Structure formats: C-alpha cells, structure tokens
Amino acid sequence: MIRPHECNNCKEHSTIFDDKIKKKLNPFSSGLSYLYMTANMKNIRHLYARAGFSLRFEDLDTLGKLSVKEAVAAVFRASENSDPTAIIAGNINYKDFLLANEGTKKMFLQEQRQQEKALNIDWVNKMSSTDAQLREKMTLFWHNHFACRTQNAWYAQQLNNIQRSNALGNFKTLLMEVSKTPAMLQFLNNQQNQKNHPNENFARELMELFTIGRGNYTEQDVKESARAFTGWSFKKDGSFAARPLQHDVGQKTFLGKTGNFAGEDIIDMLLAKKETALFICKKLYRYLVNDVPNNAHIGTMADIFYNGNYEIKPLLQYIFTADWFYTDNNMGNLIKAPVEFIVGLNRQFYITYQNPDVVLQFERALGQVLFNPPNVAGWPGGKNWIDSSSLMYRLKIPSTVLNGGVIEFSGKVDPEDEAFIATTRKQKEAVTTKIQAQADWAKFMNSIPRGTGKAAIAQTLLTAPLSTGITDIINKTTDIKALAIELVSTPEYQLC
Amino acid sequence: MKRRDFLRNTTLASGAFLIPSFLKPLEAMAMGDISGYKNLVVIQLSGGNDGLNTIVPFGNDIYYQKRKTIAIQQPDIIKLNDMQGLNPNLAALKEIYDQGWMSVINSVGYPNPDRSHFRSMDIWQTGSDANQFLTTGWIGRYLDSNCATCNNPYTAIEVDDTLSLALKGAKMKGIAVEDPGKLYQATRQPFFKQLVHGHDAANLNEDNLGYLYKTMIETYSSADYIQQTSKTYITTATYPQTPFANQLKSVAKFINSGLQTRVYYVSLSGFDTHTGQQNQQGRQLKIYADAVEAFVKDLKQANKLDDTLVMTFSEFGRRVEQNASNGTDHGTANNIMLFGGKLKKAGIYNDAPNLAQLDNGDLKYEIDFRSVYATLLDKWLNVNNSQVLNKNFAGLDFV
C-alpha cells in the first residue's frame, strides 16, 4: 500500500501527482497548503470520523492547527448542550383520534406514518447539521443499544430525547430513565408484567442486551427479577407509573442476594457487577474503534467506566486521547452504518433534499431505518451492512444525489407497515424517484483551503489509505467537483 | 486453500488485476452436475396470512362459529378432502393440486410464538428460537456451510431490490436481483469497471476494505453470469400482469436457463388483514395463486418441475376468532404450502388444525417450522441441517 507521506521512497511516488499542482505549492510556505495530510491532520480526521460523522474541509481550517488534545476538548465543547427534538407536538391516542376527527382506522394509520417519517427525517437533519456531533453520534449508539420500536412517534421521540440528554452523562441515569419510558415498557411487554402473572421479557433483555450480557445470569435470575418489575407501567400522558396493586412485594433471590427488591434495586445490582461495564465497553469499542475487540484496551475502558460510577464522558475522553486510538490499524477500518454514510455525505456536501422521502428510501435500501431496528438486539453492524445490492446502492447514491439523478429502488417494506398496506391496497411497484437534492457546491469549493493538493482532498474524504486504484482516479481527474464525486463513490468511502 | 487466499495469491503471482478471467475457473468448477440440479423457491407472504381462510377447515363447525361474518361459505370452497378446501381465490391451484404437485402442511409454528410482525418474521428468517437473536439467516448459513456451489453469491438469489436477512450468512451472502439486465448495466458503468479492475492486492485483504472489494468484484462477476445465462432462455409462457407474477417469471427464466442457483426468494405483501379481510385477502390470494399456477406450468413444460420445490410461508397465522371489524388479529401456527414435481406425499400432509384445543384462542403448533427447513436442507439441498440450524431437527417426509 502506498502511503506517500510516510513512505521511504516519497520522491518516486510523488511523481504520480500532477506536476502543475506540485509546482504551485510549497507545503512549507503556509500552514494550510498541503499536498498530503500531515500526521496530525490525519489524527484529527480520525477523531471526527469516530466522534462525529466526518471531517469537512471547512473544519480543516481551524482544526488542522490544533493538537489532538485540543481537538478532543473542542469536540466535547461543541456537544455540551443537548437540544431535544420537538417535531412531534403531542400524543395521538387512537380512540381520541377517532372521536376528534370522526376519523377512520386508515386515517389514523396514515397519521401515524406521517409522524414516524417526520421524526426520522428530523433526526437525520439534526445529525446532518448540528455542531454537537459527538452527542448525536452517541445518541445513535444508545438508540441501537436500547433498540426499541413503537408505533407511537411521541413515545419514540421521548425515548430519543432521553438518549440524547444522557448521551454523554451517566449510564445508570440513562438506563433507569429508558426503563421507565412507555416505548420500552410497551415494547418489552412490561405492561403485562403483573403480580402472579409475571412477564419476563423486559427482565431478560435488561440482562442479556442492556447490562451484563449472556452467561452472567441464570434463568432463575430472570424469573425473580421479572417479579421486581411487576407494576411498572405508564400513564396516558406518557409519564411513568408504579402500580402498587400489581407489584409483587414478596422476597426475591437475585444474583445470590435475597430481599424484597424493586426494579430500581435490580438495576443497581446489575450495575454493581463489573460485567456490565465490560459489556458496554466492548460494544462501544466496536462502535468507535475497531470491530475486532482488543481485550486489553477494553479492560482499561471498563476500569475507567466502572470506577467512575458509569460516567460516560470520562470514558469517551479516555478513548479519544488514548495513543492506541490513533494507531494505523484502528483508522479507516470501520464500515459506516447507512445513517452514518448518508449523514456524512450530507455534511460534507451541504445537501438539502426537496423531497425528504428520498432519505427514507435510502435508509430502507441500505438496511437501517431509524426507530425501526430489526429486533431488540439492534442492528448487527459491520460487515452485515454490506451485500451485493446494498454496496451497489452505496456506490451509486453519491453520484445521483450530487448530480441530481433518479433512483429506481424502493427497499423492503417494514413488516409493521403491513397493516397500512393492507388497508390502502398498495402493491409493490417499481419506484422511480427524482432525487431533487442540492449540494452546495460553491460552499464546498470555497471551503477547500487554497492550494490543497488533489491527494489531500482525497485524504480528507477517504479515511482508508490511498491505494493505487484511487491514485489512478486522482491522476486522471482534473476537475475537483468530478474528483470529489468519484472519491465518494468508492468502496473506500464506505469506511470511516 | 481458502478462496480469498486464492484470490490474493493469484493476483500477486500474475500481477494481473483483471478479475473475471481468474474467477472463471471457479465458476467452471461449479458447473459439475447440471442434471438433477435441484432448486428451492421460497415465497414469503408478508403480514401474517390467515391460513384458516386460505386452506379452509370447512368440515369443522367451530370454524363457522368463530367466524360469523368472514367464514368462507361451503358452496364457494374448492374441496380437497372432507375437512379442508381451497379459498375460491385459489381456484388456479386446483389443477396443480389434482396433478399431485401441491402439498399442505398444517399447524406449523414454534414454541412461545411472538405476535409482532417484525419479530416473528425475524424468527422465521433466521430460524432462531423465540428468545434468541441471530444476525444471520437460515439460507445465509446454508451458503456458509461450504456446499459445492456455495462460493458464489448467485447460489441464492432474491428477486427483489434489496436482500432479506434470510439470505445473509456470516461469510457468504446471496444476491438481490430485481432485473438482471439493469444489474448488468450498472456494473458495466465505466467508473464501476475502473474500480473493479483498478484495485491492488492489498484491497483483497481479510479486513473490511477487502470485504468491500470482494463483494464488489463478485457482484461484477455474478451480474455478468446471471445476465449472460438467463438471456439464453426466452419465456413463452404467459403470466398474469402483476409485479408478483413478474418476479416468479424471472425465477422461472433463471431456472429454465440453467442458472446454477440453489435457492430463490420472493415475497408478496398485504396479508395483515385486521379489517375487511375477505376482499383484501381474496385479492392477495388470487394474485398469489394465479402467479404460482403460471410458474408451475412454465417449469413443467421446461422439464424443470421435478427439480424444483416451492415453499410458501407467512410469519404467523391469525387468531381463530374473527374481530369486530370483519378481520382477524395476529395469531400463531399456520399452514405451509409446497409445490413441486417430486413431492413424496402430495395433498394434505397432516391433520387439519385442531380448533377445539386452543392456546388462549390461538392454534397450537404441531410441527416446528425448522423441521420443515431441516427437510429441505437434508433432502433437497444436501447439507446436514444441524450445521445450518445450530441443532438437529427431525425431518419430515414430504420429499
């Protein structure tokens, strides 16, 4: 692999680049003119790929001069405040809807779908435009960790806002609040969890997927802890309600201890187990660092998380300032989730969509519809994102969006939309949608620091090392706009 | 030698970056036994098809008691035996049934059934237990099992524009092809070709970048193979003008042209009939049956029906008792329909569902759906089912 900035034979490799550009530039004359990214810039690019949704040329101007430590501080500063989503104005209840509007079931389903769409697009827009990239990136992590589905967009928004406001806060607070949301209580059937008729679903997933993970609890622990959560319910307005009449006040034996435990006690006991810190850190490592786990690094992360009382921010600060985070084997090697891919493209090219449904179509075709995870275990991620068709779409989407083309795919129907399909008698049909999106090319071109070489442009857009194939593309293409479109239409652009 | 090592070594040794030329020997290797090449076609009815109004248990009074307004009336039913018969919208299947090319397995399901569409579909597609979450599909794991042709993505084709979880394995994945001509064109765009031919050896490493390049190159190669092979067969049979019939028409074209594909996957939506069920389900069943009839006959005239087995499933059946909106709500066990020229036991495979012994208003399953998968894997696809289903399931006797 040719990595020109650090190769032993730079002279030879540099001849593959445009002579004109080379002559014009003296990489030492200005801090910003450069043929290749410096090692520091690459570190900052890496930080923005992982703590956010990608680096933009405009960021290079200011960030390029910062040390990694300073850049990390800037990342946290930008995410200090949480800006809740408020696109869904209120809770629509089926019965009230029918009364108030003299509506039909069909109208109700339509209204529900409109709200789900609005919420989804609103989040994509937020991720695409916010400065609080780390907060949104972590919200996306918790969205997948506490994977949940609800057809009530008001509940979905509430859960999303809890995940956002606690994204960098305390995991215990986050877990407690999530566990008391109508969305989760409904999704994991805790409404049906009552004294003498326990429903184990929530207790099981709490352990298997949210805290200590498989192998660290018994079936008996599931049964006993389910009793502790009996009566956990919610009111019509979406607020939590513990219903004493449905709560089992008997003795429960959980993880070797016996007492009249309530749900909160169970959560405390789970967090007292180091396995919980390890479980979360392993998942976070795969999300932010590498999908091949490094047990030593994960172990240190878990120590910090556990000893720091499950504070999330110090854990992230440790990761982003660790030397190992910036080693070559941890750079440019993660496959972007579809939403990261779409958002990254939106951010880097300042894209606006006249028809936001297109974004949903992308999500469907690429296999990640926000708020609709495949099951409570979330999206499996990594190589699972990529098959023949999803890769073909990924390679095609940038040029259609940036060049105003059309798409001819619709993606799979979500199973939960079947009732809607049945009522509207919709048939699957070939969909040709005009993308109707605008990239702000003027802004894009102006944001590229003067004198930036084509290779450096490539290095800003692609985090993977430049292969000979990419280098060929760079050499053949003289128009920067065309070059940018080509670079983001490569397998390399799927990585961050 | 592992296939990826082979790819890399060849590239290094020859210095050639041209992929199709050295993929060809692999494709040729797979051509071994063209005769007796068996295909499985999976049809997914999405939304939870009401099996009781599909294969109607008219001989059981309870059926009429529980479905006062939506039961199919006796004179309309196409009787198969003295207990069960076809919904009149399945009339096209009568002839197929009489030829011995159709079989119905009643009461198929799994323990602790889940009534959510997406979760139950997830369970059917992955072949998991109700409380287990698998990230690979059962057909995907079949591809992972190192079967003779499993190296190629086109060993499993979904006729659709995206790939279902069912066809995704840990190492191998099937390929989604809605239109082979379009896929071919897309992969022959100049820039795409440049990417395929321009990569270097390091792009084929075992890492994620290598995986992306490998997937891209295989798509390039598969698109060519599927297009060049399938275009040799000209469909003469007539199919109904529905998108679903079109998909089956593509499958028949693939099979009849001799494509080396073992599994095909298609789906039909619109079965979530909570309201006004009779019309809605009737429409969908007619689309289904008319297309299947054309498909089976098309295969028959091409002498491929004996080598083909079609399985139709839905993620769950519906509750025995209808609801207040002339519809039915989510239920549990359901029937599976099979078609093929070599069915060992044509007709009704087992007893009609027991409507007297219900579990909280729902049918109790008699046959685990994974026993059906196990039969397909063991007897049709020739791979040990425990390798794919993670534990051994006793097979059935329908092939």
Side-chain angles (χ1 to χ4, degrees):
Chain A
M1 185 95 23
I2 301 171
R3 307 188 68 171
H5 66 284
E6 58 192 20
C7 68
N8 300 324
N9 200 3
C10 284
K11 215 172 170 187
E12 189 187 313
H13 289 143
S14 67
T15 58
I16 55 182
F17 291 100
D18 197 321
D19 271 337
K20 262 191 238 159
I21 288 184
K22 232 172 67 182
K23 267 181 211 151
K24 261 205 260 175
L25 293 176
N26 174 358
F28 304 104
S29 67
S30 132
L32 293 173
S33 301
Y34 56 102
L35 279 172
Y36 302 106
M37 279 190 147
T38 62
N40 187 57
M41 280 176 173
K42 284 169 70 182
N43 288 342
I44 286 166
R45 175 192 68 190
H46 179 56
L47 174 67
Y48 272 72
R50 302 298 172 84
F53 297 98
S54 65
L55 186 71
R56 296 200 267 218
F57 289 101
E58 66 173 284
D59 306 321
L60 268 183
D61 216 16
T62 43
L63 296 171
K65 298 172 205 148
L66 301 181
S67 69
V68 162
K69 227 177 157 181
E70 290 165 332
V72 171
V75 163
F76 280 96
R77 251 197 323 277
S79 285
E80 239 158 50
N81 296 321
S82 179
D83 170 27
T85 294
I87 186 93
I88 307 299
N91 192 355
I92 51 164
N93 175 284
Y94 182 40
K95 279 178 193 139
D96 296 345
F97 178 86
L98 293 193
L99 283 176
N101 301 291
E102 294 179 350
T104 58
K105 170 122 191 191
K106 188 169 157 184
M107 283 165 63
F108 179 72
L109 290 173
Q110 237 149 7
E111 178 68 21
Q112 260 190 339
R113 272 169 65 97
Q114 278 309 322
Q115 291 203 346
E116 280 173 35
K117 256 198 213 170
L119 184 63
N120 184 322
I121 289 165
D122 187 71
W123 193 15
V124 173
N125 288 343
K126 193 191 265 289
M127 287 189 272
S128 302
S129 59
T130 184
D131 287 330
Q133 285 195 69
L134 176 61
R135 184 170 292 278
E136 292 309 317
K137 182 95 175 195
M138 287 306 293
T139 306
L140 188 59
F141 176 76
W142 299 121
H143 180 71
N144 192 39
H145 181 72
F146 296 110
C148 178
R149 276 178 176 238
T150 166
Q151 286 178 317
N152 182 318
W154 168 253
Y155 294 161
Q157 175 176 275
Q158 181 195 30
L159 177 59
N160 185 245
N161 280 332
I162 285 173
Q163 290 164 346
R164 178 170 294 107
S165 65
N166 294 290
L168 309 174
N170 185 283
F171 177 69
K172 179 181 163 179
T173 314
L174 173 63
L175 174 60
M176 204 68 90
E177 288 188 18
V178 164
S179 303
K180 293 181 174 180
T181 56
M184 197 57 90
L185 290 167
Q186 203 170 54
F187 183 53
L188 295 179
N189 309 103
N190 213 67
Q191 293 278 81
Q192 288 97 55
N193 188 17
Q194 295 168 10
K195 186 165 75 176
N196 302 327
H197 300 283
N199 183 306
E200 295 164 10
N201 207 5
F202 175 73
R204 182 183 305 281
E205 307 318 351
L206 171 69
M207 280 178 265
E208 178 178 340
L209 299 165
F210 300 164
T211 58
I212 52 178
R214 277 199 170 207
N216 295 311
Y217 58 92
T218 64
E219 274 303 299
Q220 195 58 32
D221 288 327
V222 173
K223 285 192 166 61
E224 296 283 302
S225 58
R227 293 172 50 217
F229 290 103
T230 46
W232 275 34
S233 184
F234 60 89
K235 295 180 206 150
K236 214 172 155 187
D237 66 357
S239 62
F240 176 73
R243 303 196 189 281
L245 290 177
Q246 292 168 6
H247 183 68
D248 180 342
V249 291
Q251 297 281 303
K252 298 126 195 153
T253 301
F254 180 67
L255 296 177
K257 289 181 186 146
T258 303
N260 170 19
F261 301 130
E264 288 87 349
D265 302 321
I266 298 295
I267 288 177
D268 281 341
M269 289 160 83
L270 286 168
L271 291 170
K273 291 275 180 188
K274 182 82 180 273
E275 284 85 356
T276 296
L278 208 55
F279 184 77
I280 304 294
C281 287
K282 191 169 176 180
K283 211 163 169 180
L284 195 59
Y285 184 89
R286 293 173 61 105
Y287 184 69
L288 293 175
V289 186
N290 199 318
D291 46 27
V292 182
N294 177 313
N295 289 334
H297 298 157
I298 293 168
T300 315
M301 283 165 63
D303 287 341
I304 290 168
F305 199 34
Y306 187 74
N307 297 333
N309 195 26
Y310 289 97
E311 284 295 327
I312 299 161
K313 191 176 165 186
L315 172 64
L316 294 172
Q317 276 168 330
Y318 165 71
I319 297 169
F320 296 140
T321 51
D323 287 342
W324 51 255
F325 182 71
Y326 296 94
T327 52
D328 279 357
N329 66 318
N330 286 333
M331 282 195 191
N333 65 331
L334 286 180
I335 296 179
K336 291 174 189 169
V339 166
E340 292 170 324
F341 166 78
I342 297 163
V343 166
L345 197 69
N346 290 349
R347 293 184 72 92
Q348 286 176 320
F349 293 91
Y350 313 97
I351 297 166
T352 47
Y353 297 86
Q354 272 77 60
N355 174 12
D357 282 8
V358 165
V359 173
L360 285 172
Q361 228 167 314
F362 289 164
E363 289 181 25
R364 271 199 300 275
L366 301 183
Q368 187 184 32
V369 179
L370 290 171
F371 300 98
N372 283 2
N375 55 50
V376 63
W379 291 280
K383 287 179 183 166
N384 293 287
W385 293 126
I386 302 297
D387 60 70
S388 282
S389 41
S390 68
L391 180 59
M392 290 297 290
Y393 292 139
R394 280 178 179 232
L395 299 180
K396 201 180 164 188
I397 283 171
S399 64
T400 52
V401 170
L402 297 173
N403 265 343
V406 296
I407 45 167
E408 294 178 81
F409 51 85
S410 49
K412 290 264 185 309
V413 165
D414 187 274
E416 295 299 342
D417 285 342
E418 286 292 345
F420 180 74
I421 289 165
T423 54
T424 54
R425 305 176 189 180
K426 260 181 87 175
Q427 287 294 312
K428 184 189 163 65
E429 51 198 35
V431 185
T432 305
T433 316
K434 272 210 180 112
I435 297 273
Q436 293 179 281
Q438 257 86 49
D440 191 338
W441 281 106
K443 194 168 179 184
F444 174 84
M445 296 300 275
N446 284 335
S447 71
I448 300 176
R450 274 171 64 88
T452 306
K454 286 197 287 177
I457 290 176
Q459 286 181 315
T460 308
L461 292 171
L462 307 178
T463 53
L466 304 183
S467 66
T468 48
I470 298 291
T471 309
D472 282 347
I473 292 170
I474 298 169
N475 287 336
K476 276 185 200 157
T477 316
T478 46
D479 178 49
I480 297 299
K481 198 171 142 181
L483 176 65
I485 295 177
E486 287 181 352
L487 290 169
V488 296
S489 306
T490 59
E492 277 82 351
Y493 189 67
Q494 312 315 315
L495 299 173
C496 68
Chain B
M1 195 189 309
K2 278 199 281 183
R3 178 141 183 270
R4 254 169 284 177
D5 292 342
F6 172 71
L7 280 175
R8 190 165 42 207
N9 293 346
T10 315
T11 318
L12 286 171
S14 66
F17 296 129
L18 234 113
I19 291 308
S21 62
F22 69 76
L23 271 181
K24 270 188 189 124
L26 284 163
E27 279 159 10
M29 261 157 42
M31 293 290 185
D33 53 336
I34 283 230
S35 61
Y37 198 88
K38 288 181 179 145
N39 309 290
L40 170 67
V41 182
V42 179
I43 300 175
Q44 172 182 304
L45 304 181
S46 309
N49 178 38
D50 179 22
L52 291 175
N53 272 18
T54 304
I55 309 295
V56 186
F58 67 88
N60 192 330
D61 292 343
I62 301 173
Y63 168 72
Y64 288 100
Q65 288 158 19
K66 301 266 186 184
R67 297 193 164 192
K68 290 268 190 282
T69 65
I70 65 158
I72 313 289
Q73 293 310 310
Q74 289 242 16
D76 300 330
I77 294 169
I78 303 160
K79 290 172 184 160
L80 302 177
N81 59 19
D82 55 10
M83 176 58 82
Q84 291 180 283
L86 298 174
N87 180 304
N89 290 292
L90 298 177
L93 298 180
K94 176 67 162 87
E95 189 189 339
I96 308 281
Y97 186 90
D98 289 342
Q99 292 282 353
W101 299 334
M102 176 177 175
S103 173
V104 176
I105 307 179
N106 287 305
S107 313
V108 182
Y110 54 90
N112 305 313
D114 199 300
R115 285 165 188 79
S116 127
H117 289 293
F118 79 96
R119 179 59 190 144
S120 197
M121 190 56 92
D122 201 43
I123 290 166
W124 273 84
Q125 291 206 2
T126 61
S128 73
D129 293 333
N131 61 0
Q132 184 187 20
F133 304 101
L134 298 180
T135 56
T136 55
W138 73 281
I139 297 163
R141 292 196 302 277
Y142 159 69
L143 297 177
D144 282 342
S145 74
N146 283 321
C147 75
T149 57
C150 285
N151 272 336
N152 301 309
Y154 56 77
T155 298
I157 292 180
E158 177 162 12
V159 181
D160 200 330
D161 55 16
T162 52
L163 193 69
S164 293
L165 176 59
L167 289 86
K168 294 182 186 176
K171 286 177 291 177
M172 297 294 304
K173 293 185 176 75
I175 183 167
V177 186
E178 178 84 58
D179 177 337
K182 275 193 187 149
L183 178 65
Y184 179 79
Q185 278 170 16
T187 57
R188 266 61 193 173
Q189 306 259 331
F191 185 69
F192 191 82
K193 275 172 90 166
Q194 189 184 346
L195 287 174
V196 169
H197 296 296
H199 66 88
D200 56 28
N203 290 142
L204 296 175
N205 278 334
E206 290 278 339
D207 57 12
N208 283 335
L209 184 61
Y211 177 75
L212 289 160
Y213 267 92
K214 182 176 153 276
T215 304
M216 184 178 74
I217 291 161
E218 281 175 349
T219 307
Y220 183 84
S221 168
S222 297
D224 183 50
Y225 171 70
I226 294 169
Q227 168 67 357
Q228 303 312 332
T229 308
S230 64
K231 79 176 184 194
T232 61
Y233 183 84
I234 310 296
T235 305
T236 51
T238 47
Y239 279 79
Q241 297 289 317
T242 61
F244 177 69
N246 255 328
Q247 290 176 309
L248 284 185
K249 188 176 168 184
S250 296
V251 174
K253 191 173 164 72
F254 293 154
I255 293 174
N256 293 341
S257 67
L259 205 65
Q260 298 283 291
T261 298
R262 298 299 304 264
V263 185
Y264 297 94
Y265 205 95
V266 290
S267 22
L268 176 63
S269 271
F271 289 92
D272 195 18
T273 49
H274 290 279
T275 56
Q277 169 166 319
Q278 275 204 338
N279 288 337
Q280 171 64 14
Q281 194 203 18
R283 245 188 322 270
Q284 297 311 101
L285 288 180
K286 186 158 169 47
I287 289 171
Y288 166 77
D290 291 355
V292 168
E293 181 205 19
F295 177 68
V296 169
K297 288 182 173 171
D298 192 5
L299 293 178
K300 180 63 188 169
Q301 60 77 29
N303 282 323
K304 293 286 187 184
L305 189 59
D306 285 357
D307 299 326
T308 305
L309 190 61
V310 184
M311 179 192 76
T312 302
F313 80 96
S314 193
E315 71 268 35
F316 43 64
R318 306 190 79 86
R319 292 179 72 79
V320 175
E321 185 160 8
Q322 70 171 86
N323 63 23
S325 330
N326 295 323
T328 48
D329 297 325
H330 302 176
T332 54
N334 204 356
N335 42 44
I336 273 184
M337 288 178 272
L338 297 162
F339 304 91
K342 282 278 180 206
L343 294 172
K344 215 170 180 180
K345 193 172 171 188
I348 307 277
Y349 182 83
N350 54 345
D351 287 345
N354 185 340
L355 304 183
Q357 300 270 324
L358 299 179
D359 179 7
N360 191 21
D362 280 317
L363 296 176
K364 288 181 184 167
Y365 83 100
E366 305 273 340
I367 292 174
D368 194 302
F369 71 104
R370 289 162 298 182
S371 296
V372 178
Y373 290 179
T375 317
L376 302 171
L377 291 163
D378 288 334
K379 298 185 182 174
W380 199 254
L381 300 174
N382 305 103
V383 53
N384 188 325
N385 84 72
S386 59
Q387 213 180 326
V388 173
L389 301 175
N390 301 327
K391 55 186 166 193
N392 194 65
F393 286 86
L396 308 174
D397 219 18
F398 56 81
V399 281

